[in-house]
Amino acid sequence: MAVANSNTFARPEITAAQSVIAGNIAALLKIPLSATHDLFQVVDICQRYADELIEVNNHAEYMALCGRLLAGLNVLKVVLKSPLPKHLIEQLTVNDNNYDEYRSPLSTDSETTCEYCCALTMVLLNQQVTLDQQEQISELLFELLSMLAEDLKAPRFIRTTTGLAMIEGEAVPGIH
């Protein structure tokens, strides 16, 4: 029978002064993330989660990072459907049309790639793979997120005498 005033811990290796989650990861997990963030902020945070996922050796930290990554990817899905803010349009705009220089290695659209990342994260969260497979999937997830970020940050627009146009040449209505 437990005593109500007991100071005995159920797991003696974890004490009140000791956190289950290390400082760097705890700080990373506390980063606020919502649809009010812009596309670049959300994808950068997701990349940080995936990068840390490769390095972490603690199971609790690993699971927490997977959970936050999945939440971040769900925010990314929302942000991908939102109109780009003016400051991002400016960052994605170039003055010359050298399309080949800005080609992305991705052949699928950003929303599909984000779904692939979510699926891989769910596989990791389900804990139904071997440790070797978990490591490979984590690395694949990081690589896929890196390609997605590179694609999302690649120039999309070019300045013309009539305003902005897509790099491929079609006009962009409603963007000044």
Side-chain angles (χ1 to χ4, degrees):
M1 181 170 187
V3 178
N5 205 1
S6 174
N7 62 0
T8 305
F9 294 99
R11 298 205 44 200
E13 67 273 12
I14 300 174
T15 64
Q18 180 184 24
S19 174
V20 174
I21 304 222
N24 301 8
I25 295 175
L28 181 59
L29 294 172
K30 289 180 183 177
I31 295 174
L33 187 59
S34 72
T36 60
H37 288 84
D38 71 37
L39 177 65
F40 290 1
Q41 291 170 324
V42 174
V43 78
D44 286 345
I45 292 170
C46 287
Q47 278 187 284
R48 288 177 62 192
Y49 291 146
D51 182 39
E52 197 64 42
L53 202 57
I54 293 171
E55 303 298 324
V56 72
N57 293 317
N58 178 295
H59 182 71
E61 292 172 349
Y62 187 86
M63 294 305 292
L65 284 166
C66 280
R68 283 297 284 177
L69 177 56
L70 186 59
L73 290 167
N74 284 322
V75 170
L76 184 58
K77 287 180 196 178
V78 172
V79 174
L80 282 171
K81 294 178 183 177
S82 302
L84 286 172
K86 289 182 182 185
H87 71 279
L88 290 188
I89 292 171
E90 190 60 36
Q91 287 181 322
L92 296 169
T93 301
V94 293
N95 293 322
D96 59 344
N97 192 0
N98 192 355
Y99 178 66
D100 289 337
E101 186 178 323
Y102 306 118
R103 288 195 127 164
S104 169
L106 288 178
S107 61
T108 60
D109 65 273
S110 301
E111 291 174 357
T112 301
T113 304
C114 187
E115 290 293 340
Y116 292 160
C117 291
C118 285
L120 290 172
T121 305
M122 288 299 299
V123 168
L124 294 173
L125 278 169
N126 286 332
Q127 300 275 299
Q128 298 296 313
V129 295
T130 66
L131 286 176
D132 285 341
Q133 291 170 328
Q134 179 178 312
E135 184 177 314
Q136 292 167 347
I137 292 169
S138 296
E139 290 174 9
L140 175 62
L141 180 57
F142 175 77
E143 291 296 324
L144 197 54
L145 268 169
S146 295
M147 286 190 306
L148 177 61
E150 183 180 323
D151 179 56
L152 290 173
K153 294 177 181 181
R156 298 269 190 264
F157 310 106
I158 184 167
R159 276 188 186 73
T160 66
T161 55
T162 59
L164 288 183
M166 294 295 289
I167 285 184
E168 292 91 15
E170 69 260 17
V172 181
I175 296 180
H176 304 289

